[in-house]
Amino acid sequence: AAYVCAGWRTAPCPAGIVAASTPSKTMPSLLVLAFTASAAAYNIIPIVRPISPSAQPVSSTPKALAHTQIRSASVTQLRAAAPSMALGLLAPAAKYVLAVPTLYALMSVNEYCTHRWYQHAEFNKEAWMQKIACILTGRKEYKIRGGGHVEHHAETYDDMTLKKDDRWRRTPAAASLDNDRFRGTAFTWKTTGLMTFQMLFSTLPVFHLLGFSLPMTIAILLPGMLLHAAAWNMLHPPMHGLG
């Protein structure tokens, strides 16, 4: 191979070395070499060369083979366990976060049904409901009163105050509310128990799908129903001047 002996020499080049004629011709080659070396030094992409099977170390002993298999299985288990562990920590938190809006939605549907078909006694107007009730009870007719809610509407003015004049007080509707201190504006224990029983038919299957056990579902449902009744009784009677 020929080597370049740079300029500014004071002695003849050794044999086999080609001397550069002038420094000006040698400098560009040196600059290209310097930039190439710098670029190679900052190249962060690793070069992976496949190892031929003949170059790979082979352990022929059963103990070494078993150790290699155990190590490979451990790495595979760790890789599979990482996402599973993350999902395992996320799933319990997610279901508890979803429990509150889910219970609120179910209570809203239940309250709508109770308010429409029980409190406003539309149950008495639905023929198919009447037929089912008569089959289950063995009666020829099954009517409900609605807990005095319809009479409460009749007693209420548009400004939410209650009628107290003698003419109203002599009506059967007003007389039917006399036994109730809150005159149909508050949830009684009977009404709260009825709504809780109704909630079981929707809450149990839905919360089962969310991953809750039966005791945990009851532990969430009962405080929710008590809180609902307490909030209603705290707000509704005072709206009508009753305390």
Side-chain angles (χ1 to χ4, degrees):
Y3 294 86
V4 178
C5 181
W8 305 290
R9 63 184 182 274
T10 57
C13 291
I17 298 179
V18 180
S21 58
T22 60
S24 60
K25 294 181 179 180
T26 307
M27 289 302 293
S29 299
L30 294 177
L31 290 176
V32 171
L33 180 62
F35 283 119
T36 304
S38 301
Y42 287 96
N43 186 9
I44 60 174
I45 302 176
I47 300 176
V48 181
R49 296 180 179 178
I51 301 176
S52 61
S54 59
Q56 295 180 356
V58 178
S59 300
S60 58
T61 63
K63 184 177 181 180
L65 292 175
H67 178 72
T68 303
Q69 293 175 355
I70 293 174
R71 184 173 60 182
S72 301
S74 300
V75 172
T76 304
Q77 290 175 356
L78 288 175
R79 290 176 179 175
S84 300
M85 185 180 299
L87 292 175
L89 294 175
L90 179 62
K95 73 177 185 179
Y96 282 106
V97 170
L98 290 174
V100 175
T102 301
L103 183 62
Y104 182 83
L106 294 176
M107 291 173 66
S108 299
V109 173
N110 182 59
E111 186 174 352
Y112 169 81
C113 295
T114 302
H115 186 256
R116 176 176 178 178
W117 282 287
Y118 173 72
Q119 291 181 299
H120 280 267
E122 290 193 16
F123 175 85
N124 298 334
K125 302 177 183 178
E126 297 288 348
W128 66 274
M129 291 184 177
Q130 287 289 306
K131 185 176 181 179
I132 294 176
C134 292
I135 293 174
L136 294 177
T137 60
R139 301 180 184 179
K140 294 183 179 181
E141 186 180 32
Y142 192 92
K143 300 294 183 181
I144 59 175
R145 177 172 172 265
H149 187 74
V150 175
E151 292 80 1
H152 159 65
H153 276 285
E155 190 176 59
T156 304
Y157 287 114
D158 291 341
D159 61 357
M160 295 295 120
T161 59
L162 300 180
K163 300 175 182 178
K164 298 181 181 179
D165 57 279
D166 294 337
R167 180 181 178 182
W168 165 253
R169 296 291 295 170
R170 291 193 296 266
T171 61
S176 66
L177 297 174
D178 289 342
N179 294 329
D180 184 0
R181 173 187 172 187
F182 297 100
R183 305 190 68 80
T185 62
F187 283 163
T188 63
W189 284 109
K190 180 181 179 181
T191 303
T192 303
L194 176 61
M195 293 187 67
T196 303
F197 177 74
Q198 293 170 340
M199 283 290 294
L200 294 176
F201 295 95
S202 59
T203 306
L204 292 183
V206 171
F207 272 64
H208 176 72
L209 294 176
L210 291 178
F212 288 97
S213 63
L214 177 60
M216 184 59 68
T217 302
I218 299 300
I220 296 174
L221 174 61
L222 293 183
M225 296 302 296
L226 290 175
L227 180 62
H228 173 259
W232 178 267
N233 290 345
M234 181 179 66
L235 298 174
H236 194 215
M239 283 176 54
H240 300 285
L242 300 172

